[in-house]
Amino acid sequence: MTDMNAIEISRPGEPEVLQPTRRARPVAGPGEVLIRVSASGVNRPDVLQRKGVYPPPPGASDLPGLEVAGVIESGDAAGLASAGLAIGLRVCALVAGGGYAEFVNAPVGQCLPVPDGCTDVQAAALPETFFTVWSNVFDRARLQAGETLLIQGGTSGIGVTAIQLAKAFGATVIATAGSDDKCAACVALGADHAINYRSADFAAEALRLTGGKGVDVVLDMVAGDYVTREVSCLAEDGRLVIIAVQGGVKASFDASLVLRRRLVVTGSTLRPRPVAFKAAIASALRERVWPLLATGAIKPVIHSTWPATQAAQAHALMESNQHIGKIVLTW
């Protein structure tokens, strides 16, 4: 059989435009492996792609889906050997598209063995958020032990990952969330403090919680008018990292604070970056984070799983913002 089941975006629109389809099974090229997918993570960029505002990068599949877990079916023998992988091995992988399918190609360097003790559903929830958090919080923002990190949206997939990783590496964590229950969930995951942004000014609270010093790093998925307040609550030499613009692309802030406090305002997107860049993140994760997953010191947080044929319902759930942690499709 040379075809497969997949979920395609039939046209830009609401969740119901996600439709089951049959597609030709991909064939692994040089430097790639073909993965038989058992679980696919659902992420905010999938929603944006479905709406027609976040197209896949050139050369990527038009199918949504940026992370999968499953078994290596075939692939570049030399690449597999150099990466310490093999046909038949359970892996999770970051992909630039095509994850909502029974088979997907992935660059060898973006594949990681499923951590000991993890199910495929748990493993499928790892790549997109762990690659993103590591790249932005630890590489770009250089978060150090003893510093304070403010995470916007602490119960999102990114948020639950950032809380656990920052705590594991010795930082103090302040998270924001939109309800008292979600704030409690952040604290249960390890956050030192959680701020309900609907009932309190997160910037004022962050300054109060740090004794007026401010936070060292902000991980921001909102942008828009949040940037003004985030800059105001950064400590000297603080770093603001913007990774999404759910609150809008326009922002203003007091530039004199940037000068006086030597602040850094930066940001990044992961999907269009080259394979070599993503492979370097994978290598760092395998060395520094995968052992923590194997011991249970860090755990994937799964909110719910859905049969892949119910991808529309999974997207509706994500857009409702009622979830805590990751949403995963199963095949």
Side-chain angles (χ1 to χ4, degrees):
M1 187 171 66
T2 58
D3 58 356
M4 64 178 183
N5 293 311
I7 304 297
E8 69 179 0
I9 301 169
S10 58
R11 64 187 185 281
E14 296 304 306
E16 59 270 17
V17 304
L18 293 171
Q19 295 291 327
T21 187
R22 297 288 290 179
R23 289 287 186 96
R25 186 182 299 184
V27 176
E32 292 183 331
V33 297
L34 178 66
I35 298 172
R36 180 188 292 270
V37 177
S38 57
S40 310
V42 177
N43 292 282
R44 193 70 60 172
D46 306 345
V47 172
L48 298 177
Q49 182 177 335
R50 190 203 76 224
K51 291 181 174 181
V53 296
Y54 189 42
S61 170
D62 67 303
L63 297 174
L66 301 178
E67 60 184 350
V68 299
V71 173
I72 296 178
E73 186 87 355
S74 62
D76 183 320
L80 284 167
S82 66
L85 303 175
I87 292 172
L89 183 69
R90 292 170 63 225
V91 294
C92 56
L94 183 74
V95 294
Y100 288 14
E102 290 181 310
F103 291 87
V104 67
N105 284 338
V108 172
Q110 293 171 209
C111 297
L112 288 160
V114 172
D116 292 344
C118 279
T119 66
D120 283 0
V121 165
Q122 290 173 317
L126 298 174
E128 171 67 11
T129 58
F130 276 73
F131 275 68
T132 298
V133 171
W134 188 266
S135 175
N136 286 284
V137 174
F138 295 95
D139 286 344
R140 182 167 289 274
R142 307 179 312 282
L143 181 70
Q144 303 295 313
E147 291 190 323
T148 299
L149 169 67
L150 172 62
I151 301 165
Q152 303 289 15
T155 55
S156 67
I158 292 289
V160 299
T161 299
I163 288 170
Q164 294 187 84
L165 282 177
K167 288 303 297 180
F169 289 96
T172 296
V173 172
I174 304 171
T176 68
S179 72
D180 291 344
D181 286 346
K182 284 191 171 186
C183 285
C186 292
V187 173
L189 285 166
D192 297 278
H193 309 282
I195 302 167
N196 184 337
Y197 62 78
R198 298 187 192 279
S199 58
D201 180 338
F202 71 78
E205 278 295 289
L207 286 167
R208 184 186 67 81
L209 291 168
T210 56
K213 173 180 178 290
V215 300
D216 299 288
V217 176
V218 177
L219 180 62
D220 178 24
M221 294 164 271
V222 182
D225 62 8
Y226 267 43
V227 175
T228 303
R229 288 181 282 164
E230 287 164 343
V231 168
S232 75
C233 70
L234 279 170
E236 291 190 355
D237 298 301
R239 291 85 74 194
L240 164 59
V241 187
I242 301 168
I243 61 169
V245 290
Q246 295 177 34
V249 298
K250 301 292 186 181
S252 63
F253 54 86
D254 184 345
S256 70
L257 291 177
V258 176
L259 300 179
R260 296 199 307 270
R261 297 184 188 171
R262 304 174 302 280
L263 306 180
V264 174
V265 179
T266 184
S268 74
T269 57
L270 183 61
R271 191 178 189 183
R273 300 300 292 273
V275 170
F277 178 85
K278 297 173 187 176
I281 301 171
S283 180
L285 289 172
R286 190 168 183 177
E287 177 186 351
R288 311 246 346 244
V289 176
W290 253 229
L292 299 174
L293 286 159
T295 63
I298 294 175
K299 297 178 180 179
V301 180
I302 309 297
H303 180 274
S304 59
T305 61
W306 299 78
T309 53
Q310 295 181 23
Q313 290 93 319
H315 272 224
L317 171 61
M318 172 158 280
E319 289 187 271
S320 76
N321 292 318
Q322 297 303 305
H323 61 294
I324 295 173
K326 294 298 294 272
I327 301 167
V328 179
L329 305 178
T330 57
W331 295 89

